Amino acid sequence: MTQRKIPAATLMQLLGPWTGRGPAYVNLARAIQHLVLDGRLPLAAQLPSERTLAAASGFGRNTIKAAYDVLQDDGFLVLRPGVRRVVTLPPLATTPGVPLPPLSHPHLIDFAAAALPAPEGLIHEAFMHALTALPTYLPTHGYTPLGLPVLRSAVAARYRARGLPTTPEQIVITFGAQHAFSLIVRLVTSPGDRVLVDQPTYPHALDALRAASCRIVPVALTPGGWDVEGLAAAARQTVPRLAYLIPDFHNPTGHLMPDAVRSEVTRLLHQTRTLIVVDETLAELALAVPVSAPFAVHDRHATVVSIGSMSKSFWGGLRLGWIRAPRDLAERLGAARASVDLGTPVLEQLAGAWLLRDPDPLLGRRRKQLRDQRDVLVEYLGQQLPEWTYRLPEGGLSLWVTLPQPVGPALVAQASRFGLRLTAGERFAHDGLLARQLRLPFTQPVAELREGVTRLARLFREVVGQDVLLDDPGNATRLEV
Ligand SMILES: Cc1ncc(COP(=O)(O)O)c(C=O)c1O
């Protein structure tokens, strides 16, 4: 397998200002440890040699060696024969605290799922229209592996309305975006193929890649979004078969990929003949910016396949999504799905087509609701957990919160005692911990958000009160959560 190498200059850039009070080697070890815990240094990557890092940092080789020794003692580095020091995680770091007995709570507040309930009345109305249209289809056999023409046309029309010429023949209707991605992975990859993904990314996409025995190549997002140089280096070093990107209100970080980055990413992944799969599930949930043109407007070489879904804009229970691909690939995808399923139910597709004939009024209401709920969540977090930090996302369904200490796993382990469900940051990482991160959806009604933040604050105070923190440099690498 191609071993990813972290050049000394890249490591220095990732580290930012890391010096401070206390011995330099301890500060350096602690800063590298945070990069590992935050998923910004990929596991199994090689760190630079002591000599090159000493030259790049201006510190002596002994300092670098001492820092690497600390990391090695604490299980964040291993020595592999013939290679340099390799990033890893200590077994202790993934061990949650011992669960305590549950406290009594009238109901659970679910911060684990980022999805809205169905819009009042509309889904019912869509199915009433679908039932009326159904008799036309009853004399046919009803198998639609590529999708009903009426829905394929409605999806294609939506792409055209957003500025991307698209024909119905380019669309394959699926059971949601997750099914769409799994179909693409099954058709396009072979076991052992490398697939480039953002780190963090959507957990079930990682699951689909693991199920297909792909080798996952994570490229860390920076606090500002996509790291084009990092992406280029990973693509050059690993020549991935596929890249899976979420350019619009990225799940979980909320980042929106700027147009210039979209064209650059398309250009550079064309050089390695990498098929780019863009997941646009959240694209229409723009809260503070206009909805972007579909990513594929930057595609000059037919190397972009887009997936979309009605789950987040309309309702997850519809189980309707799609793939937009070059026509021949769309046909091959339709044929390939026969080993798993023979098409999406006609009634659901008719309901979907009815909903898509005029989606803007509902989308407008959805955006306003999400904006209001996002602002409420932010307000309560500011009041009750001011030490939690996040970037205000311009769209999507959640905040990606950074905790002041790596206590995410402990919060998740203890959440049910406080009547909460939380998803661990590590679900969004490939072989990483992301122990300082939590995704907090703002898809709950305002009253639930208020109560949820109150419970979160009590949970957090209890957990940090119990645990040994990493703030003391003399105790830099003990993680007791
Ligand atoms: C980025 C992303 N892709 C795919 C999905 C799955 O969507 P679907 O319900 O359409 O399968 C989700 C749902 O959370 C998502 O956030």
Side-chain angles (χ1 to χ4, degrees), residues 114-115 174-181 201-205 244 246 248-251 279-282 307-312 315-317 319-322 397 439:
T174 63
F175 290 103
Q178 176 64 16
H179 178 226
F181 184 57
T201 192
Y202 178 57
H204 296 305
Y244 170 74
I246 312 172
D248 300 88
F249 317 121
H250 176 267
N251 185 1
D279 183 340
E280 297 180 327
T281 295
L282 299 156
I307 61 186
S309 171
M310 298 187 73
S311 291
K312 305 297 170 168
W315 187 43
R319 305 311 309 133
L320 284 175
W322 56 84
L397 300 165
R439 187 190 70 172

Side-chain angles (χ1 to χ4, degrees), residues 197-240:
V197 301
D198 300 321
Q199 170 104 311
T201 192
Y202 178 57
H204 296 305
L206 293 174
D207 294 340
L209 293 170
R210 291 183 192 117
S213 304
C214 292
R215 283 186 277 180
I216 297 171
V217 180
V219 179
L221 289 181
T222 70
W226 283 266
D227 167 12
V228 181
E229 276 174 33
L231 239 129
R236 257 196 324 272
Q237 289 179 18
T238 66
V239 192

Side-chain angles (χ1 to χ4, degrees), residues 455-472:
R455 292 183 193 179
L456 267 177
R458 284 172 45 218
L459 165 63
F460 179 66
R461 305 274 169 249
E462 182 167 310
V463 164
V464 293
Q466 282 173 354
D467 292 320
V468 178
L469 307 184
L470 296 184
D471 281 344
D472 165 19

Side-chain angles (χ1 to χ4, degrees), residues 253-338:
T253 65
H255 283 296
L256 175 63
M257 193 185 279
D259 275 346
V261 177
R262 293 178 187 226
S263 8
E264 182 57 10
V265 165
T266 315
R267 191 189 65 76
L268 68 90
L269 289 175
H270 173 61
Q271 291 171 355
T272 48
R273 299 283 179 274
T274 301
L275 187 74
I276 307 174
V277 180
V278 287
D279 183 340
E280 297 180 327
T281 295
L282 299 156
E284 301 244 28
L285 297 178
L287 306 183
V289 286
V291 173
S292 300
F295 186 103
V297 297
H298 300 278
D299 185 17
R300 291 199 182 77
H301 309 282
T303 47
V304 175
V305 172
S306 315
I307 61 186
S309 171
M310 298 187 73
S311 291
K312 305 297 170 168
S313 325
F314 293 87
W315 187 43
L318 286 169
R319 305 311 309 133
L320 284 175
W322 56 84
I323 300 168
R324 177 194 180 278
R327 189 177 169 163
D328 59 328
L329 181 56
E331 274 162 22
R332 284 194 289 134
L333 284 162
R337 78 187 287 186

